[in-house]
Amino acid sequence: MTTETRKRREYTEDFKRDAVALVTEQGCKPSEAARSLGIGDNLIRRWKREFEEEASSAGLDSNEREELKRLRKAILKKASAYFAKEMK
């Protein structure tokens, strides 16, 4: 039995921005916009979040943005571990 590897589709920056604009500027729900574009609604939500993060760190250079991303990831990891420990 062979296993086919699915190639992940890649989308242009313009496509992503247009998809997010359907939600932010035209008032569509992410699920409606995704359905009309033939993609998953989680993609639109992720792209929207990424663009918002990018806009909030617009005054930073690329090194500072990478550091901010690394710190956010570390904080989330520690918070997850903390709450997982509390749930036991």
Side-chain angles (χ1 to χ4, degrees):
M1 180 178 220
T2 61
T3 305
E4 288 185 39
T5 51
R6 269 176 69 177
K7 185 174 181 191
R8 187 178 286 213
R9 288 195 284 176
E10 293 186 22
Y11 302 97
T12 65
E13 189 77 12
D14 288 337
F15 180 84
K16 293 176 184 181
R17 290 195 185 280
D18 290 344
V20 171
L22 287 173
V23 175
T24 59
E25 296 173 14
Q26 296 185 20
C28 290
K29 293 180 181 177
S31 58
E32 294 170 345
R35 194 171 25 257
S36 71
L37 296 170
I39 60 175
D41 57 329
N42 286 336
L43 275 178
I44 292 181
R45 287 187 181 95
R46 180 172 26 135
W47 295 339
K48 182 177 182 279
R49 185 181 67 245
E50 289 171 357
F51 290 140
E52 288 170 348
E53 288 174 0
E54 183 179 296
S56 70
S57 62
L60 305 176
D61 67 27
S62 62
N63 289 334
E64 291 170 325
R65 264 189 244 114
E66 284 302 315
E67 177 70 4
L68 183 58
K69 188 185 286 187
R70 186 187 65 73
L71 290 172
R72 284 179 177 158
K73 187 175 181 179
I75 290 168
L76 286 172
K77 185 176 180 179
K78 288 185 179 193
S80 297
Y82 174 80
F83 288 114
K85 182 178 169 184
E86 290 292 314
M87 303 262 314
K88 288 184 179 181

